[in-house]
């Protein structure tokens, strides 16, 4: 019978600060930290609200990824008693839409400035996150990358939990990371999806979203069904092919994946409370 999976520890860094406690406190107090980003490398100048986590303007793109990871991992490891062997053998499941896009942009700009043959986005950056975790923090187990846009870290989480349930490993590290890059920001700006000011979730006056960066990590562990804590009961993932940027407006694809998730967890809609 598949094992139960519990969230053993977590770590996070966002624009609200480094550490779970700071983020929870800021959310409860309704605090926020907005900035604006000006992009001038386009035919039309881009000005957009943005939520940065790393405010060091002198750090390069690779250093930015490393800083985000270090903040979240340090927060997580401070709450665990993992041994070196546990960390060395633990698989890592990474979900991100950006990965090393910012690093590729930086290398492209540098090549243009030096007169070299410049190749746009010369690397995908899929290896940057897992390599830093291996070299800096000792996570030397198998690593898996998920690049499914907004669902990337959710798919990483589902896969990590499935791996534990079926006995492949007792622990798993799940990483969700987004770092600043102009490609993503300009893309959302071009689709007119960005708010001109602040976010207003669930508000009739909402005018779009505000992008930002951050990193969150979860340590999953094999557990008994009656062990206290937050258990990952199950889930489902699907691909809505209605269009490249939008779900089917009739809601059928969203409803289908929700029902599949409930069935996987042996629950009914009436079991879910708001």
């Amino acid at each position: 019978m598949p094992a139960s999976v519990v969230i053993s520890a977590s770590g996070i860094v966002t624009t609200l600060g480094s550490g779970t406690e700071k983020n929870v406190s800021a959310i409860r107090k309704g605090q926020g930290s907005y900035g604006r980003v000006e992009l001038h490398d386009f035919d039309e100048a881009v000005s957009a609200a943005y939520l940065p986590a790393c405010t060091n303007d002198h750090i390069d793109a690779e250093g930015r990824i490393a800083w985000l990871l270090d903040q979240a991992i340090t927060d997580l490891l401070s709450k665990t008693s993992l041994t070196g062997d546990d960390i060395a053998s633990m698989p890592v499941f990474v979900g991100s839409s950006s990965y090393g896009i910012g690093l590729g942009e930086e290398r492209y700009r540098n090549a243009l400035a030096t007169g070299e043959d410049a190749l746009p986005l010369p690397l995908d950056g899929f290896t940057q996150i897992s390599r830093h975790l291996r070299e800096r923090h000792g996570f030397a187990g198998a690593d898996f990358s998920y690049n499914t846009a907004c669902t990337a870290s959710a798919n990483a989480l589902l896969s990590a939990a499935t791996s534990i349930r079926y006995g492949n490993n007792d622990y798993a590290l799940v990483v969700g990371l987004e770092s600043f890059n102009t490609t993503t920001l300009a893309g959302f700006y071009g689709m007119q999806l960005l708010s001109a000011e602040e976010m207003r979730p669930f508000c009739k006056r909402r005018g779009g979203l505000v992008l930002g960066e951050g990193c969150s990590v979860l340590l999953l562990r094999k557990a008994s069904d009656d062990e206290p804590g937050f258990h990952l009961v199950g889930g489902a993932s699907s691909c809505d092919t209605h269009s490249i940027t939008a779900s089917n407006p009739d809601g059928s694809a969203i409803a289908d994946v929700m029902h599949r998730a409930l069935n996987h967890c042996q629950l009914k809609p009436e079991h879910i409370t708001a």
Side-chain angles (χ1 to χ4, degrees), residues 35-40 42 44-50 185-186 189 194-197:
R36 293 201 72 82
V37 174
E38 311 291 333
L39 305 180
H40 302 287
F42 299 89
E44 176 186 345
V46 175
S47 177
Y50 194 76
L185 185 61
Y189 179 87
L194 300 182
S195 173
E197 39 189 32

Side-chain angles (χ1 to χ4, degrees), residues 100-111 117-125:
I101 291 178
L103 179 58
E105 292 172 344
E106 185 175 85
R107 292 185 179 180
Y108 178 51
R109 286 192 294 266
N110 291 341
D117 291 336
L119 178 66
L121 295 181
L123 82 168
D124 53 37

Side-chain angles (χ1 to χ4, degrees), residues 1-235:
M1 183 176 180
S4 185
V5 178
V6 68
I7 299 175
S8 180
S10 64
I12 189 171
V13 57
T14 71
T15 190
L16 299 176
S18 297
T20 307
E21 290 75 16
K22 285 186 178 180
N23 276 265
V24 171
S25 176
I27 290 172
R28 286 175 173 170
K29 294 177 181 177
Q31 295 174 341
S33 177
Y34 284 85
R36 293 201 72 82
V37 174
E38 311 291 333
L39 305 180
H40 302 287
D41 297 327
F42 299 89
D43 292 337
E44 176 186 345
V46 175
S47 177
Y50 194 76
L51 299 170
C54 178
T55 56
N56 184 350
D57 295 332
H58 302 292
I59 195 170
D60 63 13
E62 189 162 13
R64 197 177 195 94
I65 292 174
W67 185 88
L68 291 167
L69 285 168
D70 290 345
Q71 297 297 308
I73 290 293
T74 299
D75 183 29
L76 179 142
L77 292 179
S78 69
K79 307 166 187 173
T80 69
S81 56
L82 293 170
T83 67
D85 289 340
D86 290 332
I87 293 174
S89 61
M90 190 183 306
V92 176
F93 297 78
V94 181
S96 176
S97 68
S98 62
Y99 281 94
I101 291 178
L103 179 58
E105 292 172 344
E106 185 175 85
R107 292 185 179 180
Y108 178 51
R109 286 192 294 266
N110 291 341
L112 285 174
T114 57
E116 300 176 14
D117 291 336
L119 178 66
L121 295 181
L123 82 168
D124 53 37
F126 287 152
T127 63
Q128 308 304 127
I129 295 173
S130 57
R131 185 176 68 188
H132 180 77
L133 291 174
R134 181 172 61 252
E135 295 176 352
R136 175 71 175 82
H137 299 283
F139 289 94
D143 59 84
F144 305 89
S145 296
Y146 297 80
N147 187 223
T148 55
C150 299
T151 63
S153 56
N155 282 321
L157 183 64
L158 288 175
S159 295
T162 299
S163 182
I164 291 176
R165 284 194 184 99
Y166 287 95
N168 296 326
N169 40 278
D170 292 336
Y171 291 94
L173 182 73
V174 182
V175 180
L177 183 145
E178 300 297 335
S179 62
F180 173 76
N181 65 89
T182 60
T183 301
T184 300
L185 185 61
F188 276 81
Y189 179 87
M191 290 188 288
Q192 300 181 338
L193 295 175
L194 300 182
S195 173
E197 39 189 32
E198 63 184 14
M199 293 181 293
R200 295 190 179 95
F202 310 110
C203 177
K204 291 182 179 180
R205 296 185 296 114
R206 65 187 182 273
L209 54 86
V210 177
L211 296 181
E213 65 179 355
C215 180
S216 179
V217 291
L218 292 177
L219 176 65
L220 305 186
R221 177 173 54 81
K222 178 180 177 181
S224 59
D225 290 336
D226 58 354
E227 185 172 333
F230 290 101
H231 288 248
L232 289 173
V233 181

